[in-house]
Amino acid sequence: VEEICYQGCTPGYWKIKSNTKDHCWCPEYYANPLLTQVYDAAALAAIPHVSSRKEKNSAGFTEETLDNALDFKAGGDLEGAVRKLLRHGTAALLNACTLNGGGNYPEDADLIIADINAALASQKIAIIDNLKNTYGCWNEGLPCTIDANCRDKEPPLDPPVLYCEDG
């Protein structure tokens, strides 16, 4: 039985990499699409928006990009919960489609998108936070196996054991 060594990089890693000319995002998202081109546009548009947030765009989630999501700050309301989910969910998406050609992250890209869409559609902070916490645990706790030049590096010989709690 082959043991899978899951890997994951933080939202900060992907944000830094997006600011370089030769970033290592997978081809599907290399052009930095709008969130509405990746996630459910109707669910994103339905999230109440507070224009006083300090993000670059005050039009809500419909005009934000994946790169913007990696830098989202949060609050304690529904919009803040969504911002936290989109930050870690976008990192999870990039991890799933990029690391060693995909397959070395606990979920694949299609499932991540489906889970994010379901959480957004629920408009329930507890559901959104639970999913964000799962992605946050994986993104922050798994070894990042891409170096600063976007080359795969060997995973650690003794990978960490993660205990990500549900809700």
Side-chain angles (χ1 to χ4, degrees), residues 12 24 29 36 46 53 61 84 90 94 117 128 138 154 163:
C24 47
Y29 307 112
T36 54
R53 299 266 189 232
F61 295 110
K84 291 185 282 188
T90 297
L94 295 171
N117 287 341
I128 291 166
W138 293 342
E154 288 297 315
Y163 298 99

Side-chain angles (χ1 to χ4, degrees), residues 46-60:
I47 302 297
H49 179 68
V50 179
S51 62
S52 64
R53 299 266 189 232
K54 292 190 172 36
E55 269 70 42
K56 297 174 184 141
N57 191 324
S58 63

Side-chain angles (χ1 to χ4, degrees), residues 81-128:
V82 168
R83 287 181 179 282
K84 291 185 282 188
L85 172 60
L86 291 173
R87 182 170 188 262
H88 271 291
T90 297
L93 180 63
L94 295 171
N95 283 325
C97 72
T98 303
L99 294 172
N100 289 325
N104 283 354
Y105 194 72
E107 289 185 354
D108 68 27
D110 290 338
L111 183 55
I112 290 167
I113 292 170
D115 286 349
I116 290 171
N117 287 341
L120 292 173
S122 78
Q123 291 199 15
K124 299 206 179 305
I125 293 174
I127 291 171
I128 291 166

Side-chain angles (χ1 to χ4, degrees), residues 33-42 44-45 61-66:
L34 292 172
L35 293 175
T36 54
Q37 294 173 304
V38 178
Y39 307 119
D40 185 314
L44 284 166
F61 295 110
T62 58
E63 295 182 21
E64 299 284 7
T65 64
L66 290 181

Side-chain angles (χ1 to χ4, degrees), residues 65-82:
T65 64
L66 290 181
D67 181 53
N68 296 142
L70 291 168
D71 203 30
F72 278 166
K73 305 298 182 253
D77 56 1
L78 176 61
E79 181 187 5
V82 168

